[in-house]
Amino acid sequence: MDAQVQDLVLQPFRDIVERGTAALENAKDASDVAMQEAAQSLVKEGERALKKLEPICKRLHDEYTTNFIAALQENGQSTCFHVCWRIV
């Protein structure tokens, strides 16, 4: 899959998982149960989104290649983020 697809669509969700994991570690260090649950939920949902989006992006990229990338670039990252949340 193209690096631009990775950056525009999937990277925000990878960032969510990464930051949620860091928050989970911080919550464990602070022994904050509520924060642990919230961070764990964030990680779980981010991973769930990636699990659903990666095959969809691969299929669309394989089918439409440059048109898919052009549409992502034209609509910008924020639009991609909103569309992806609707898919998930």
Side-chain angles (χ1 to χ4, degrees):
M1 190 172 354
D2 192 271
Q4 291 175 316
V5 175
Q6 296 280 345
D7 291 344
L8 289 171
V9 180
L10 301 176
Q11 191 58 48
F13 295 96
R14 287 194 177 106
D15 291 344
I16 289 170
V17 171
E18 181 182 320
R19 291 180 184 141
T21 302
L24 182 58
E25 291 302 315
N26 291 338
K28 285 180 182 177
D29 291 343
S31 299
D32 187 342
V33 176
M35 181 73 145
Q36 286 179 30
E37 291 173 358
Q40 194 167 16
S41 177
L42 189 62
V43 170
K44 180 181 173 184
E45 291 302 314
E47 289 172 343
R48 185 177 72 88
L50 283 170
K51 186 176 178 181
K52 286 186 175 186
L53 288 172
E54 283 178 322
I56 292 169
C57 287
K58 179 163 179 24
R59 179 179 49 83
L60 290 173
H61 183 263
D62 290 347
E63 189 172 340
Y64 299 108
T65 316
T66 55
N67 290 334
F68 180 56
I69 294 168
L72 290 175
Q73 290 172 333
E74 183 179 311
N75 290 312
Q77 187 173 5
S78 62
T79 301
C80 293
F81 196 73
H82 291 291
V83 169
C84 291
W85 273 115
R86 289 185 187 138
I87 292 171
V88 175

